[in-house]
Amino acid sequence: MWSFWKQKSPATCVASVIAFWLCLFLAAPVTAQASSSTSSPAVSYVNTLANQRADPHIFKHTDGWYYFTATVPAFDRIILRRAQSIQALSDAAETTIWRRKSSGVGSGQVWAPEIHFIDNKWYIYVALGVANEWRIRAFVLEASGANPLTSAWVEKGIIKTNWDTFSLDATTFTVNSTRYLVWAQQDPSRSGENSSLFIAPLQNPWTIRGTAVAISHPDLAWERIGYKVNEGASVIQRNGRIFMTYSASATDHNYCMGLLTASATANLMNPASWTKSRTPIFVSNTNTNQWGPGHNSFTLSEDGKSDLMVYHDRGYKDINGDPLNDPNRRTRVQKVYWKADGAPDFGIPVPDGNTPVRLRSAASSGLYVRYYTGNSVPSGAPALSDTQFRIVNPGLSGNGTISMESTSNPGVYLRRLNGNQVQFEPGRNLNTAASKASASFNRRPGLADGSGVSLEMSDVGGQYLRLQAGGVVTVSAVSSIAEQEQATFHLD
């Protein structure tokens, strides 16, 4: 949030399309839990989720509701929304639960609220400023009611850290029964830097215990573009490890995300327990036209089986004037995937529209349809985004078909050539009825497993997409059990 003016831009959210696709296309999803498997059911949302809402935080509560808060362009209030699905947050009514004051603490900036439920009470962590001063500090509000949108909020005050310097972006998590606070603060021992990440155990939700320690400084080149920043931390815990994302650099297209990792059994107050990724893990993407992604939070899908990342970015690179004055950061959501080694894979900021899926072979659990060029599949593991596809519904040839559009190369579609060959073709070349039909499929129940899906060519009945050993994609008739498995996919 030194990335002060974090805002969002528009989105066309079509919840009914999502529900339709989930029912017809997903059938019965795989049941592997995200916490213990590298695969989990596909999700389907429409980006952008919320216009001009930066630093988004979505909390899934035990009451079955999702609670959403974010920075508003005027930096003058704290808002909450709630809905029983993530997509419904897009159109949910917004309630203002706190407004900027006329003087003193809270009379200036109001940045990056987060909502948490701790010991049967609601808490909001937010950064508040003082009018006409550069004095921003992390602050806490508390509420006791069942519904935080209608509850009375009490100010617990500024979080007093070990230094009275610029501080913001507080978040909290629990490991082995100890609750910690992590926040961004200007380190008085490091002149010329804007903010580092600090951690301390909590005595209560608004009071740290003991002396905080810095676990990350903006000491890498990609963390020091425009501003020297580490901020906006968020934690997800899986596979015996703690993964802490954070954001770095200025709030233009250079804004990006880094990752800290620690063992869940380590001493988290020892900076040596944390390992920093030497390269950013989530960055702007020219192909998908997503710029300056960052300040994320984590939540769970409606069925509780898939981890999700909520973040903001812009839909354009070039900004007129000071990027701090640009209001069009927008809230987006996409699935978090898990690598075989237990680490998260965030991929790339996906294109606007429906979130993509992966097609996992029923014949081999680690084999996915992937984007590639030429006549042979490249060696080595593909990038996550090369295995993601947007289900275009209706397909290019209409009439109840679907088409498969590459996520890493939007506008490029999977199509059948003469015979059983398959290639990826730019949509501009699919300009005849025949060529569009060659890139369109009829979805069918999985030939080898009814909980999966099979893709039959729309222009040649009985010809199915098959993923063979080595990752080669072909189209052919299917007869044997092995061929049926190659023609059946589970959606991750």
Side-chain angles (χ1 to χ4, degrees):
M1 321 182 29
W2 171 273
S3 353
F4 328 85
W5 301 41
K6 313 186 167 181
Q7 278 78 0
K8 317 291 172 192
S9 81
T12 306
C13 301
V14 191
S16 60
V17 173
I18 303 296
F20 175 82
W21 180 82
L22 281 171
C23 291
L24 292 184
F25 195 70
L26 284 179
V30 288
T31 58
Q33 294 290 335
S35 60
S36 61
S37 173
T38 56
S39 63
S40 62
V43 300
S44 189
Y45 305 108
V46 178
N47 282 312
T48 293
L49 190 67
N51 301 336
Q52 294 192 337
R53 291 294 178 262
D55 314 318
H57 191 263
I58 295 178
F59 174 74
K60 185 180 184 183
H61 191 36
T62 54
D63 62 2
W65 291 83
Y66 286 93
Y67 293 88
F68 169 78
T69 187
T71 302
V72 303
F75 312 121
D76 63 350
R77 63 194 185 275
I78 300 173
I79 58 91
L80 288 176
R81 303 182 191 185
R82 77 169 189 163
Q84 291 187 300
S85 72
I86 289 174
Q87 194 67 55
L89 288 170
S90 179
D91 300 317
E94 199 166 83
T95 299
T96 297
I97 60 95
W98 190 92
R99 288 189 180 275
R100 178 190 285 159
K101 297 182 176 183
S102 59
S103 62
V105 176
S107 61
Q109 299 90 341
V110 181
W111 288 345
E114 288 194 8
I115 185 166
H116 297 266
F117 192 73
I118 304 170
D119 297 333
N120 295 315
K121 291 185 178 181
W122 294 100
Y123 291 92
I124 286 179
Y125 293 94
V126 62
L128 298 181
V130 177
N132 303 315
E133 296 184 39
W134 183 244
R135 184 172 180 79
I136 297 169
R137 302 293 184 271
F139 196 89
V140 183
L141 304 172
E142 179 189 77
S144 299
N147 181 354
L149 279 71
T150 58
S151 298
W153 286 88
V154 177
E155 296 179 359
K156 304 305 290 186
I158 290 174
I159 299 173
K160 295 181 180 179
T161 66
N162 304 118
W163 310 273
D164 187 21
T165 60
F166 171 81
S167 63
L168 69 174
D169 292 0
T171 193
T172 184
F173 64 99
T174 300
V175 178
N176 298 324
S177 300
T178 297
R179 179 168 290 280
Y180 294 89
L181 190 77
V182 172
W183 68 98
Q185 184 164 10
Q186 188 171 34
D187 188 333
S189 69
R190 297 174 70 91
S191 62
E193 293 182 351
N194 303 108
S195 61
S196 298
L197 295 181
F198 286 83
I199 188 172
L202 282 172
Q203 178 177 312
N204 57 46
W206 60 92
T207 308
I208 68 170
R209 174 166 49 87
T211 302
V213 297
I215 55 174
S216 182
H217 299 291
D219 49 14
L220 300 174
W222 53 270
E223 301 173 306
R224 302 167 66 88
I225 303 174
Y227 293 103
K228 301 176 179 67
V229 166
N230 281 182
E231 65 178 18
S234 187
V235 168
I236 186 168
Q237 301 183 51
R238 289 290 183 273
N239 307 316
R241 283 183 282 178
I242 301 163
F243 301 99
M244 184 185 297
T245 54
Y246 65 94
S247 297
S249 288
T251 57
D252 56 14
H253 65 277
N254 294 298
Y255 203 56
C256 61
M257 286 167 49
L259 182 68
L260 300 173
T261 305
S263 168
T265 60
N267 175 9
L268 302 186
M269 295 299 294
N270 181 355
S273 297
W274 296 91
T275 301
K276 177 189 281 193
S277 172
R278 307 309 291 177
T279 56
I281 50 87
F282 202 62
V283 300
S284 296
N285 190 278
T286 301
N287 287 354
T288 63
N289 198 35
Q290 307 298 325
W291 304 95
H295 202 117
N296 75 292
S297 59
F298 295 105
T299 190
L300 285 171
S301 60
E302 287 78 358
D303 62 7
K305 296 176 181 178
S306 296
D307 296 298
L308 306 174
M309 180 171 69
V310 185
Y311 63 97
H312 70 224
D313 74 4
R314 288 188 182 92
Y316 50 87
K317 178 179 181 181
D318 298 322
I319 298 170
N320 293 322
D322 190 338
L324 300 181
N325 296 324
D326 184 282
N328 291 322
R329 298 271 177 150
R330 71 270 177 88
T331 296
R332 310 183 86 243
V333 60
Q334 64 188 67
K335 182 177 172 178
V336 177
Y337 291 85
W338 295 92
K339 302 176 184 177
D341 65 2
D345 192 341
F346 302 105
I348 63 175
V350 298
D352 289 342
N354 290 349
T355 50
V357 302
R358 305 175 82 195
L359 280 73
R360 175 168 50 86
S361 171
S364 176
S365 61
L367 192 61
Y368 292 84
V369 175
R370 64 176 291 182
Y371 170 85
Y372 61 92
T373 59
N375 297 321
S376 60
V377 180
S379 60
L384 170 62
S385 60
D386 282 339
T387 66
Q388 292 178 293
F389 297 89
R390 185 168 72 94
I391 308 297
V392 179
N393 187 356
L396 297 182
S397 76
N399 299 322
T401 65
I402 63 169
S403 294
M404 308 298 294
E405 181 183 12
S406 169
T407 292
S408 58
N409 291 270
V412 174
Y413 296 86
L414 185 66
R415 72 166 297 193
R416 178 186 63 83
L417 296 177
N418 294 330
N420 66 355
Q421 290 184 309
V422 168
Q423 73 175 26
F424 291 91
E425 188 77 47
R428 63 180 179 272
N429 297 338
L430 302 171
N431 50 21
T432 66
S435 62
K436 290 178 180 178
S438 73
S440 300
F441 301 86
N442 298 314
R443 56 175 167 244
R444 306 296 188 204
L447 297 177
D449 181 351
S451 68
V453 62
S454 292
L455 301 179
E456 181 188 30
M457 292 306 308
S458 68
D459 60 345
V460 184
Q463 301 281 310
Y464 289 87
L465 192 73
R466 290 172 53 196
L467 180 58
Q468 299 181 356
V472 176
V473 182
T474 62
V475 170
S476 71
V478 171
S479 57
S480 70
I481 292 177
E483 290 172 343
Q484 290 177 16
E485 291 176 342
Q486 291 176 349
T488 300
F489 303 95
H490 293 285
L491 304 185
D492 291 354

